[in-house]
Amino acid sequence: MSKGTSSLLLLLAVITAVVVFVGGFLSIAIGGPDGSGENSPLYSIWFTLMHAINTGVLAKEEGTILYLAIMTVVTLVGIFITSFLIGTISNGIKDKVSDLRRGKSRVIEEDHTVIIGFDENVTSIIQELALANENQKDAVVVVIADADKTEMEDIIRERVPNLGNIHLVCRSGHPDSPSDLKVCSLDTCKSIIVNLSDDFMAIKTILACESLLDEYGNDKAFITATIRDPEVLHSARIAGGERAEILNFHNTIARLMVQAGRHPGMSEILSELLSFKGNEIYVEDIPGAVGYTL
């Protein structure tokens, strides 16, 4: 009974079968309703099953006192089984809905973007992804973090009211746990964004993602992560290998601020180039352009 809904349903099925067959054979042994023994064994078992699953059959039944006593017992057991069955199915549905709300079910999407970590930067990332996927149909973004699934969804929808073509999926789990990351379906994703403020946790997460991508054989997916401490930048790049792009958060922001401070209007140009709003930069491999000057 502790194994869940499926085991309980199997147990009820076994109990029902035992009661029906025992009641049917007893009915055969006493000769049926009138004691004549004219009914076939299959008919007796079938009629006993009707008593077990439909209590109204007993009210219209006629026969000997012993036969009616047997069918009464079968009907009472059927009432118990039916009540237990309804409760089991109700609890099973409730547990499944609760499990879905906890965000533990596996993502079934493909070609999706996975964001690992949840902080104030998530909404900015999702806004940019919404702009970047305006020309895409049914783009999917999966967010996984050690937080409540419902709370993450509410915060994101409050701060990003217009998700555009993005279908948002949130999951709860530890960022550095391979078993938790598996629910994000890294075998079919196209990119991973590691958005963690702790550099040590970020490196562990990059290692976990790299290991899972190698295990699944997903060569098209790549990893993007930010590291705040320049001293661990080299370690993060080793952890990510060739598929990872590791950015030094403070160094990158500092260089952008210096550029914007030295030249008036540079901040607008940088925002235009580095965001997906308006004009943006696309990287494309064009073999026919090799050797030409620009």
Side-chain angles (χ1 to χ4, degrees):
M1 294 180 67
S2 63
K3 292 183 179 180
T5 304
S6 58
S7 297
L8 287 173
L9 293 177
L10 179 62
L11 177 63
L12 290 176
V14 171
I15 294 174
T16 303
V18 170
V19 171
V20 168
F21 277 100
V22 171
F25 285 127
L26 289 177
S27 173
I28 296 170
I30 65 175
D34 54 1
S36 62
E38 295 180 354
N39 295 332
S40 65
L42 289 178
Y43 178 81
S44 297
I45 293 174
W46 170 256
F47 213 64
T48 304
L49 177 62
M50 293 300 100
H51 278 279
I53 64 177
N54 186 2
T55 57
V57 176
L58 183 63
K60 302 177 182 179
E61 189 65 279
E62 295 180 357
T64 62
I65 295 177
L66 184 58
Y67 175 79
L68 292 177
I70 294 173
M71 292 299 106
T72 301
V73 173
V74 171
T75 302
L76 292 175
V77 175
I79 293 173
F80 168 77
I81 293 174
T82 304
S83 302
F84 201 75
L85 176 64
I86 295 173
T88 301
I89 295 176
S90 177
N91 288 332
I93 294 174
K94 182 180 178 180
D95 292 340
K96 185 61 178 178
V97 172
S98 178
D99 183 61
L100 291 173
R101 288 181 62 85
R102 288 197 301 268
K104 299 296 183 181
S105 59
R106 183 177 176 85
V107 175
I108 59 174
E109 309 290 350
E110 296 182 358
D111 292 328
H112 53 283
T113 300
V114 180
I115 301 176
I116 304 176
F118 187 83
D119 57 13
E120 66 277 0
N121 296 326
V122 168
T123 54
S124 298
I125 296 173
I126 293 177
Q127 283 177 341
E128 290 298 322
L129 288 174
L131 293 171
N133 289 282
E134 283 184 340
N135 59 342
Q136 302 295 324
K137 184 179 179 180
D138 298 329
V140 180
V141 175
V142 178
V143 179
I144 180 171
D146 190 10
D148 182 73
K149 170 183 177 294
T150 306
E151 292 182 1
M152 289 191 291
E153 291 177 345
D154 292 341
I155 292 174
I156 292 174
R157 288 194 168 92
E158 179 183 351
R159 298 181 181 179
V160 190
N162 184 18
L163 291 174
N165 297 331
I166 286 183
H167 172 55
L168 180 66
V169 179
C170 292
R171 290 292 181 265
S172 297
H174 295 284
D176 61 331
S177 173
S179 59
D180 289 346
L181 290 175
K182 285 182 178 179
V183 304
C184 297
S185 297
L186 299 188
D187 53 327
T188 59
C189 74
K190 66 177 180 180
S191 61
I192 302 171
I193 300 175
V194 180
N195 177 46
L196 297 171
S197 57
D198 188 344
D199 289 344
F200 178 69
M201 184 64 69
I203 293 176
K204 290 177 62 179
T205 303
I206 293 169
L207 281 171
C209 293
E210 175 71 16
S211 176
L212 287 175
L213 292 176
D214 287 340
E215 178 183 339
Y216 293 137
N218 187 356
D219 297 327
K220 67 177 183 178
F222 58 92
I223 304 170
T224 304
T226 57
I227 296 295
R228 285 160 172 75
D229 189 354
E231 294 184 0
V232 299
L233 185 60
H234 183 64
S235 301
R237 287 173 175 166
I238 293 176
E242 296 181 356
R243 71 167 81 243
E245 183 68 33
I246 311 298
L247 304 175
N248 181 226
F249 180 78
H250 292 301
N251 190 26
T252 303
I253 293 299
R255 293 171 64 183
L256 292 176
M257 291 179 67
V258 170
Q259 290 288 340
R262 293 182 61 187
H263 303 283
M266 180 61 71
S267 60
E268 296 182 8
I269 296 175
L270 292 174
S271 298
E272 182 76 14
L273 291 176
L274 300 179
S275 71
F276 283 95
K277 186 176 182 180
N279 301 314
E280 60 262 12
I281 298 175
Y282 289 92
V283 179
E284 187 71 23
D285 186 13
I286 307 176
V290 175
Y292 285 86
T293 58
L294 178 65

PDB file of all heavy atoms in Angstrom, residues 275-292:
ATOM      1  N   SER A 275      21.603  44.377 -27.157  1.00  0.00           N
ATOM      2  CA  SER A 275      20.261  43.892 -26.843  1.00  0.00           C
ATOM      3  C   SER A 275      19.583  43.437 -28.130  1.00  0.00           C
ATOM      4  O   SER A 275      20.048  43.737 -29.218  1.00  0.00           O
ATOM      5  CB  SER A 275      19.431  44.984 -26.168  1.00  0.00           C
ATOM      6  OG  SER A 275      19.092  45.997 -27.098  1.00  0.00           O
ATOM      7  N   PHE A 276      18.482  42.714 -27.988  1.00  0.00           N
ATOM      8  CA  PHE A 276      17.752  42.236 -29.158  1.00  0.00           C
ATOM      9  C   PHE A 276      16.639  43.193 -29.573  1.00  0.00           C
ATOM     10  O   PHE A 276      15.861  42.879 -30.456  1.00  0.00           O
ATOM     11  CB  PHE A 276      17.158  40.855 -28.873  1.00  0.00           C
ATOM     12  CG  PHE A 276      18.181  39.756 -28.937  1.00  0.00           C
ATOM     13  CD1 PHE A 276      18.799  39.319 -27.786  1.00  0.00           C
ATOM     14  CD2 PHE A 276      18.531  39.184 -30.144  1.00  0.00           C
ATOM     15  CE1 PHE A 276      19.746  38.310 -27.827  1.00  0.00           C
ATOM     16  CE2 PHE A 276      19.482  38.186 -30.212  1.00  0.00           C
ATOM     17  CZ  PHE A 276      20.099  37.738 -29.049  1.00  0.00           C
ATOM     18  N   LYS A 277      16.560  44.334 -28.917  1.00  0.00           N
ATOM     19  CA  LYS A 277      15.568  45.330 -29.275  1.00  0.00           C
ATOM     20  C   LYS A 277      16.140  46.235 -30.359  1.00  0.00           C
ATOM     21  O   LYS A 277      17.216  46.810 -30.193  1.00  0.00           O
ATOM     22  CB  LYS A 277      15.161  46.157 -28.052  1.00  0.00           C
ATOM     23  CG  LYS A 277      14.023  47.120 -28.308  1.00  0.00           C
ATOM     24  CD  LYS A 277      13.612  47.819 -27.032  1.00  0.00           C
ATOM     25  CE  LYS A 277      12.437  48.755 -27.259  1.00  0.00           C
ATOM     26  NZ  LYS A 277      12.026  49.456 -26.020  1.00  0.00           N
ATOM     27  N   GLY A 278      15.427  46.370 -31.447  1.00  0.00           N
ATOM     28  CA  GLY A 278      15.932  47.190 -32.543  1.00  0.00           C
ATOM     29  C   GLY A 278      16.901  46.397 -33.401  1.00  0.00           C
ATOM     30  O   GLY A 278      16.587  45.328 -33.917  1.00  0.00           O
ATOM     31  N   ASN A 279      18.134  46.921 -33.570  1.00  0.00           N
ATOM     32  CA  ASN A 279      19.151  46.241 -34.363  1.00  0.00           C
ATOM     33  C   ASN A 279      19.996  45.351 -33.472  1.00  0.00           C
ATOM     34  O   ASN A 279      20.274  45.687 -32.323  1.00  0.00           O
ATOM     35  CB  ASN A 279      20.065  47.262 -35.060  1.00  0.00           C
ATOM     36  CG  ASN A 279      19.272  48.184 -35.973  1.00  0.00           C
ATOM     37  OD1 ASN A 279      18.444  47.713 -36.730  1.00  0.00           O
ATOM     38  ND2 ASN A 279      19.527  49.470 -35.868  1.00  0.00           N
ATOM     39  N   GLU A 280      20.383  44.200 -33.996  1.00  0.00           N
ATOM     40  CA  GLU A 280      21.213  43.296 -33.215  1.00  0.00           C
ATOM     41  C   GLU A 280      22.243  42.624 -34.106  1.00  0.00           C
ATOM     42  O   GLU A 280      22.173  42.701 -35.332  1.00  0.00           O
ATOM     43  CB  GLU A 280      20.370  42.238 -32.494  1.00  0.00           C
ATOM     44  CG  GLU A 280      19.551  41.364 -33.401  1.00  0.00           C
ATOM     45  CD  GLU A 280      18.125  41.851 -33.505  1.00  0.00           C
ATOM     46  OE1 GLU A 280      17.818  42.964 -33.063  1.00  0.00           O
ATOM     47  OE2 GLU A 280      17.306  41.111 -34.061  1.00  0.00           O
ATOM     48  N   ILE A 281      23.196  41.982 -33.469  1.00  0.00           N
ATOM     49  CA  ILE A 281      24.285  41.324 -34.182  1.00  0.00           C
ATOM     50  C   ILE A 281      23.975  39.833 -34.284  1.00  0.00           C
ATOM     51  O   ILE A 281      23.627  39.195 -33.293  1.00  0.00           O
ATOM     52  CB  ILE A 281      25.632  41.526 -33.453  1.00  0.00           C
ATOM     53  CG1 ILE A 281      25.982  43.022 -33.405  1.00  0.00           C
ATOM     54  CG2 ILE A 281      26.740  40.734 -34.134  1.00  0.00           C
ATOM     55  CD1 ILE A 281      27.232  43.320 -32.605  1.00  0.00           C
ATOM     56  N   TYR A 282      24.097  39.282 -35.492  1.00  0.00           N
ATOM     57  CA  TYR A 282      23.962  37.842 -35.721  1.00  0.00           C
ATOM     58  C   TYR A 282      25.284  37.313 -36.266  1.00  0.00           C
ATOM     59  O   TYR A 282      25.911  37.945 -37.123  1.00  0.00           O
ATOM     60  CB  TYR A 282      22.840  37.536 -36.711  1.00  0.00           C
ATOM     61  CG  TYR A 282      21.457  37.780 -36.146  1.00  0.00           C
ATOM     62  CD1 TYR A 282      20.822  39.005 -36.314  1.00  0.00           C
ATOM     63  CD2 TYR A 282      20.786  36.781 -35.442  1.00  0.00           C
ATOM     64  CE1 TYR A 282      19.560  39.229 -35.796  1.00  0.00           C
ATOM     65  CE2 TYR A 282      19.529  36.995 -34.908  1.00  0.00           C
ATOM     66  CZ  TYR A 282      18.913  38.221 -35.098  1.00  0.00           C
ATOM     67  OH  TYR A 282      17.667  38.440 -34.569  1.00  0.00           O
ATOM     68  N   VAL A 283      25.705  36.175 -35.773  1.00  0.00           N
ATOM     69  CA  VAL A 283      26.931  35.544 -36.243  1.00  0.00           C
ATOM     70  C   VAL A 283      26.554  34.441 -37.220  1.00  0.00           C
ATOM     71  O   VAL A 283      25.794  33.534 -36.878  1.00  0.00           O
ATOM     72  CB  VAL A 283      27.740  34.964 -35.067  1.00  0.00           C
ATOM     73  CG1 VAL A 283      29.012  34.297 -35.587  1.00  0.00           C
ATOM     74  CG2 VAL A 283      28.086  36.064 -34.076  1.00  0.00           C
ATOM     75  N   GLU A 284      27.084  34.519 -38.427  1.00  0.00           N
ATOM     76  CA  GLU A 284      26.744  33.556 -39.471  1.00  0.00           C
ATOM     77  C   GLU A 284      28.024  33.112 -40.181  1.00  0.00           C
ATOM     78  O   GLU A 284      28.912  33.935 -40.465  1.00  0.00           O
ATOM     79  CB  GLU A 284      25.776  34.182 -40.487  1.00  0.00           C
ATOM     80  CG  GLU A 284      25.242  33.210 -41.520  1.00  0.00           C
ATOM     81  CD  GLU A 284      24.268  32.210 -40.923  1.00  0.00           C
ATOM     82  OE1 GLU A 284      23.678  32.521 -39.858  1.00  0.00           O
ATOM     83  OE2 GLU A 284      24.103  31.126 -41.508  1.00  0.00           O
ATOM     84  N   ASP A 285      28.117  31.833 -40.462  1.00  0.00           N
ATOM     85  CA  ASP A 285      29.280  31.286 -41.172  1.00  0.00           C
ATOM     86  C   ASP A 285      28.985  31.323 -42.670  1.00  0.00           C
ATOM     87  O   ASP A 285      28.109  30.604 -43.167  1.00  0.00           O
ATOM     88  CB  ASP A 285      29.532  29.849 -40.700  1.00  0.00           C
ATOM     89  CG  ASP A 285      30.812  29.287 -41.297  1.00  0.00           C
ATOM     90  OD1 ASP A 285      31.598  30.080 -41.846  1.00  0.00           O
ATOM     91  OD2 ASP A 285      31.020  28.060 -41.224  1.00  0.00           O
ATOM     92  N   ILE A 286      29.715  32.175 -43.398  1.00  0.00           N
ATOM     93  CA  ILE A 286      29.504  32.331 -44.844  1.00  0.00           C
ATOM     94  C   ILE A 286      30.806  31.974 -45.560  1.00  0.00           C
ATOM     95  O   ILE A 286      31.705  32.821 -45.691  1.00  0.00           O
ATOM     96  CB  ILE A 286      29.074  33.774 -45.198  1.00  0.00           C
ATOM     97  CG1 ILE A 286      27.856  34.185 -44.351  1.00  0.00           C
ATOM     98  CG2 ILE A 286      28.740  33.903 -46.678  1.00  0.00           C
ATOM     99  CD1 ILE A 286      27.433  35.616 -44.552  1.00  0.00           C
ATOM    100  N   PRO A 287      30.958  30.736 -45.988  1.00  0.00           N
ATOM    101  CA  PRO A 287      32.220  30.328 -46.640  1.00  0.00           C
ATOM    102  C   PRO A 287      32.537  31.153 -47.888  1.00  0.00           C
ATOM    103  O   PRO A 287      33.709  31.405 -48.192  1.00  0.00           O
ATOM    104  CB  PRO A 287      31.945  28.864 -46.995  1.00  0.00           C
ATOM    105  CG  PRO A 287      30.867  28.409 -46.053  1.00  0.00           C
ATOM    106  CD  PRO A 287      30.004  29.603 -45.848  1.00  0.00           C
ATOM    107  N   GLY A 288      31.512  31.609 -48.627  1.00  0.00           N
ATOM    108  CA  GLY A 288      31.754  32.368 -49.845  1.00  0.00           C
ATOM    109  C   GLY A 288      32.380  33.730 -49.623  1.00  0.00           C
ATOM    110  O   GLY A 288      32.890  34.342 -50.551  1.00  0.00           O
ATOM    111  N   ALA A 289      32.335  34.211 -48.373  1.00  0.00           N
ATOM    112  CA  ALA A 289      32.875  35.546 -48.071  1.00  0.00           C
ATOM    113  C   ALA A 289      34.338  35.497 -47.622  1.00  0.00           C
ATOM    114  O   ALA A 289      34.945  36.543 -47.397  1.00  0.00           O
ATOM    115  CB  ALA A 289      32.042  36.210 -46.987  1.00  0.00           C
ATOM    116  N   VAL A 290      34.909  34.303 -47.513  1.00  0.00           N
ATOM    117  CA  VAL A 290      36.291  34.179 -47.045  1.00  0.00           C
ATOM    118  C   VAL A 290      37.241  34.824 -48.053  1.00  0.00           C
ATOM    119  O   VAL A 290      37.175  34.534 -49.264  1.00  0.00           O
ATOM    120  CB  VAL A 290      36.647  32.689 -46.825  1.00  0.00           C
ATOM    121  CG1 VAL A 290      38.121  32.548 -46.453  1.00  0.00           C
ATOM    122  CG2 VAL A 290      35.773  32.080 -45.758  1.00  0.00           C
ATOM    123  N   GLY A 291      38.139  35.675 -47.553  1.00  0.00           N
ATOM    124  CA  GLY A 291      39.107  36.341 -48.409  1.00  0.00           C
ATOM    125  C   GLY A 291      38.724  37.726 -48.834  1.00  0.00           C
ATOM    126  O   GLY A 291      39.566  38.486 -49.328  1.00  0.00           O
ATOM    127  N   TYR A 292      37.448  38.074 -48.655  1.00  0.00           N
ATOM    128  CA  TYR A 292      37.002  39.416 -49.016  1.00  0.00           C
ATOM    129  C   TYR A 292      37.240  40.380 -47.869  1.00  0.00           C
ATOM    130  O   TYR A 292      37.234  40.007 -46.697  1.00  0.00           O
ATOM    131  CB  TYR A 292      35.506  39.419 -49.381  1.00  0.00           C
ATOM    132  CG  TYR A 292      35.209  38.821 -50.745  1.00  0.00           C
ATOM    133  CD1 TYR A 292      35.024  37.454 -50.875  1.00  0.00           C
ATOM    134  CD2 TYR A 292      35.128  39.625 -51.873  1.00  0.00           C
ATOM    135  CE1 TYR A 292      34.759  36.897 -52.122  1.00  0.00           C
ATOM    136  CE2 TYR A 292      34.855  39.081 -53.118  1.00  0.00           C
ATOM    137  CZ  TYR A 292      34.680  37.722 -53.232  1.00  0.00           C
ATOM    138  OH  TYR A 292      34.424  37.170 -54.469  1.00  0.00           O
TER     139      TYR A 292
END
